[in-house]
Amino acid sequence: MAPVKSPDSADVVICGAGPVGLTAAALLAARGVEVVVVEQNRTTSDEPKAISIDDESLRVYQRAGIVDKVLPIVVPGTGTRYYDRHGVSLFQARGPRPFRLGYPFKNPFAQPDLERALLETLAAMPNVTLRFGTQVSGFEQGDESVRVHAVAGDRPLVLEASYVLGCDGGRSVTRLSQGVDMTGRSYSDVWLVADTLDDPHTERFAMHHGDPVRPHVIVPGLDGRCRYEFRLFEGEGTPAQPPSFELIRDLVWPYRELVPEQIERAVNYRFNAVIADEWMIGRSFLLGDAAHMMPPFAGQGLNSGIRDAANLTWKIADVLAGRLAPSVLASYQTEREPHVSATVHMSERMGRVVMTTSARFAERRDTLVQEALRTEEGRDYLEQMRYRPIQRFVDGLVVDADSHEGVGAAIGQPLVFDTSDHAVRRLDDVFGDNWALVGVDVDESDWHAVEPLTDRLGVTTASMALGEYLPRTHRRLLIDVDGAALREFGLYPNQFVLIRPDRVVAAAWSPRDSAETVAAITSWTPEPVSATSTERAMSHG
C-alpha cells in the first residue's frame, strides 16, 4: 500500500509519550507551539519505572503552568538516607539550601501517575494532538521541514513538522534509524526491582543500604507503595527471566510480609551508562533515554530528561516565533552534554561505592564517611550533596560566563513583592515563561541602552530593590521580602541580569557595558528586516 499523505502537520512532532515526551509537549504548548505526540503503544505506561522527581523538575512543571497537576502525585521528600554495612544510619543527604527553587528537593512518585496527569492535561490543550497506536518508521530531512513516516494500525502516514523531538527511549527509532551511536558501557550486574503495595514504610526519604552481602535500596512512595531494589548474584536471575515470587518474598522479609497480590511490578535488569554521539540530527533532536542512559543510584535518569526538555523547548519556540536564529539550536548539546556526562559518571561512582559487594571496601568506605562527618566541611559535602554535579553553562547562549560566577547557572526562585499589582509571589510567576531583564539597583537612565532586548527578545523587565530604601520609579519594581532575593541577586549589585526562559542567567553586566553586551545577545537573534529591504522584496514579487 502506498503511503497516504496525512493532513496532520505541526510545528513539532514528538516521538514518544513517556514522561519526557509529555513534558516537552507541555512546555511547547504553553508557549503556543502546535505539537503532535506520536506513541507506538495504545496508552501511557502502567510500569512504575522512574520513582524520584527533584525540585528542578517540579520547577519546570511550574513554568509549563501544570505543577498543580503534578504535586498531588508526589511525596514531598526529604532526601536520601545512607546506611553502613551493618544497617546503621550514616547520614541523610538533603541537598543544598532548602526550597531555593521553590519545591522540596527530592520527591518519590510513581511514573504511571505522572504520565496520566500529563496526558490528561495535554488532552485538554487545543494545540496538542495525541496519536497513540502509531509506530514511527523513519524520517526525511529537508531544508525547511522534516517528514516523519509512521504507521497507524495498517495505514501508512506522513507527519510534517519544522522539528522532531526523539523522546522514544533507549531503543529510540529517532536515533537508530538515523545512524547515531552511543558511547559508554553496559554493566553485567543484575538487579531485581519490585514495586509493592500495602507497604508499612512511611518514610519521606529513600534508603540506600550499603551491605556488601546484599546491597539494596528502599524507596517508600504514596499511599503504601514502596520500591525495593536488590543486587542479585550468580544463579539468582537474569534480565531474560522474571523474578519468582519466592525470591522476592525472601528478599523483602526483613522489612515486611508479602503476598503475590501485593507485587505491582517485578523485573530483573542490567543498567547502562551511555551517551549518544549526536543529539541534533538535522531538524531532529534526542532527549531523555534516547540521548543518554545512566545507573539509577543517583535518581537522575528522568530528571536529566526533563532538563533536556527544559533546555531545548523554549529555544525551538523562540526560533519558530522569530525571536532566535535557528543556529542557536546547536547550543542544546553544547549546554546539556557536559552535565549529563558528569551525572552519568557520578551515578557510576555511587554504584561502585555505595553498592559495593566487597566487604573490605565497604569497611573502608564506612570509616572514611564517619571521619568526614566529624568535620563541618565533610558533613556539608555529604549532607548537602556537594558531590552532585551542578549544571552551569560556560558555552552556548551565555555571555562571558568565565568572568562572572552567576552567569550560566540557574537563578533561585525567591518570594518578591511585585509593585505592578501589590502582591507577593514567586519569581517565576512574575516572569511567566518569558525572557526576563532585571535591573538591580540601576538608575532609570540606564534602561534606554537595553531597549533592543525588549524589541528583539520580548523580555519582561523589572527593577529589583534589595535594600531598605524604596526607589522612586514608574517601572515595575520587585522588592525582597525575606532575604532570599538578596541572596540570589546580591551577586549582581548595580547590574542588569538577563534571565532565560529556563531561568538560567544568560548575562550580567554593568550599565556602562550595555552596548557591548546587548550586541552579543542580539547576535543570537535573526537580523531585523528593514523597511527598505521589505519594500525591495515586495517590488520583486
Side-chain angles (χ1 to χ4, degrees):
M1 181 186 298
V4 177
K5 177 67 172 72
S6 168
D8 289 307
S9 63
D11 295 321
V12 177
V13 168
I14 297 176
C15 302
V20 174
L22 295 174
T23 299
L27 287 165
L28 288 167
R31 293 178 67 88
V33 176
E34 294 285 339
V35 180
V36 173
V37 180
V38 180
E39 168 58 49
Q40 64 178 343
N41 295 315
R42 297 274 176 197
T43 185
T44 54
S45 172
D46 61 356
E47 295 187 354
K49 299 173 183 177
I51 56 168
S52 178
I53 191 165
D54 63 21
D55 51 350
E56 290 181 59
S57 295
L58 291 176
R59 189 184 192 185
V60 170
Y61 290 123
Q62 179 190 351
R63 179 153 58 90
I66 60 172
V67 71
D68 60 323
K69 306 294 185 182
V70 176
L71 288 175
I73 61 100
V74 307
V75 174
T78 60
T80 301
R81 186 169 294 183
Y82 292 90
Y83 295 81
D84 70 7
R85 65 194 187 280
H86 301 303
V88 176
S89 174
L90 287 169
F91 68 94
Q92 186 162 333
R94 299 177 182 270
R97 191 189 314 153
F99 225 62
R100 176 176 176 257
L101 302 186
Y103 297 95
F105 175 67
K106 184 177 181 181
N107 310 279
F109 79 107
Q111 181 169 321
D113 293 344
L114 176 62
E115 292 188 16
R116 283 191 292 269
L118 293 174
L119 182 63
E120 179 182 346
T121 302
L122 291 172
M125 294 182 175
N127 54 338
V128 177
T129 300
L130 300 166
R131 280 188 164 275
F132 284 83
T134 302
Q135 173 69 58
V136 174
S137 57
F139 306 87
E140 283 183 73
Q141 297 273 359
D143 292 336
E144 301 296 329
S145 65
V146 56
R147 288 186 171 186
V148 181
H149 291 265
V151 178
D154 60 353
R155 178 177 175 267
L157 58 88
V158 177
L159 306 172
E160 190 157 2
S162 296
Y163 299 101
V164 168
L165 306 189
C167 307
D168 42 354
R171 298 181 180 88
S172 166
V173 173
T174 313
R175 186 187 71 244
L176 294 172
S177 67
Q178 299 187 93
V180 176
D181 294 326
M182 302 190 88
T183 299
R185 62 172 294 189
S186 298
Y187 286 80
S188 60
D189 304 350
V190 179
W191 282 75
L192 183 154
V193 176
D195 290 295
T196 65
L197 304 173
D198 305 322
D199 197 90
H201 284 96
T202 57
E203 294 89 346
R204 289 166 52 203
F205 51 85
M207 291 160 272
H208 286 216
H209 289 266
D211 176 6
V213 176
R214 179 75 72 180
H216 58 284
V217 177
I218 304 172
V219 185
L222 198 65
D223 299 327
R225 281 193 175 115
C226 188
R227 170 166 295 183
Y228 294 88
E229 302 184 10
F230 296 95
R231 171 74 150 83
L232 297 184
F233 296 96
E234 188 69 31
E236 291 184 321
T238 71
Q241 57 187 181
S244 68
F245 168 73
E246 290 73 21
L247 176 61
I248 301 170
R249 180 194 60 199
D250 292 345
L251 291 174
V252 304
W253 79 261
Y255 302 103
R256 63 166 296 178
E257 294 181 354
L258 192 67
V259 297
E261 292 75 19
Q262 293 171 322
I263 298 177
E264 186 176 30
R265 168 182 176 257
V267 296
N268 296 332
Y269 79 102
R270 291 191 176 99
F271 50 81
N272 302 297
V274 291
I275 300 175
D277 297 336
E278 297 176 74
W279 297 22
M280 176 180 179
I281 314 102
R283 287 177 165 268
S284 64
F285 300 83
L286 303 177
L287 296 80
D289 284 355
H292 44 76
M293 290 178 278
M294 63 190 68
F297 304 112
Q300 288 299 299
L302 171 61
N303 293 295
S304 292
I306 293 175
R307 289 190 196 100
D308 295 342
N311 183 283
L312 178 61
T313 52
W314 67 269
K315 296 174 183 176
I316 288 178
D318 273 4
V319 168
L320 292 170
R323 285 186 290 268
L324 290 176
S327 58
V328 306
L329 298 178
S331 68
Y332 167 54
Q333 183 171 357
T334 298
E335 292 182 348
R336 283 291 300 131
E337 186 175 25
H339 185 257
V340 165
S341 179
T343 303
V344 169
H345 294 320
M346 177 196 67
S347 300
E348 290 181 287
R349 288 194 302 272
M350 290 186 70
R352 287 194 298 267
V353 174
V354 180
M355 298 296 146
T356 181
T357 57
S358 165
R360 183 175 181 181
F361 185 85
E363 180 180 6
R364 179 61 176 158
R365 174 203 63 204
D366 294 347
T367 299
L368 290 174
V369 169
Q370 289 163 350
E371 290 175 354
L373 290 171
R374 284 193 281 269
T375 69
E376 182 178 357
E377 182 181 9
R379 180 169 290 278
D380 288 346
Y381 178 80
L382 294 170
E383 293 184 346
Q384 297 181 22
M385 295 185 72
R386 294 185 178 178
Y387 49 82
R388 192 176 72 154
I390 300 299
Q391 179 170 249
R392 179 171 181 260
F393 310 137
V394 294
D395 295 309
L397 298 193
V398 292
V399 177
D400 294 333
D402 290 335
S403 61
H404 199 303
E405 64 175 304
V407 174
I411 197 82
Q413 187 173 195
L415 289 173
V416 293
F417 183 93
D418 184 355
T419 62
S420 67
D421 60 359
H422 312 289
V424 175
R425 54 169 55 93
R426 291 175 176 175
L427 187 70
D428 291 5
D429 291 334
V430 172
F431 298 134
D433 55 10
N434 299 321
W435 290 80
L437 181 63
V438 179
V440 183
D441 294 325
V442 300
D443 292 335
E444 192 68 25
S445 60
D446 294 328
W447 283 91
H448 177 72
V450 298
E451 287 179 358
L453 297 181
T454 302
D455 298 335
R456 303 284 281 274
L457 292 176
V459 299
T460 298
T461 62
S463 292
M464 176 72 74
L466 298 178
E468 297 184 6
Y469 297 88
L470 186 66
R472 294 178 179 174
T473 177
H474 297 296
R475 187 174 298 276
R476 184 182 201 176
L477 186 64
L478 305 179
I479 302 172
D480 182 29
V481 295
D482 62 0
L486 176 60
R487 288 193 295 270
E488 296 297 332
F489 288 92
L491 289 173
Y492 314 101
N494 309 113
Q495 294 181 349
F496 285 108
V497 184
L498 180 66
I499 304 171
R500 308 183 336 179
D502 60 356
R503 299 299 161 246
V504 169
V505 175
W509 68 96
S510 170
R512 66 176 178 273
D513 298 322
S514 285
E516 180 181 357
T517 306
V518 168
I521 294 165
T522 54
S523 71
W524 305 335
T525 68
E527 286 295 324
V529 178
S530 67
T532 302
S533 62
T534 302
E535 291 169 0
R536 188 182 303 118
M538 292 177 66
S539 67
H540 286 308

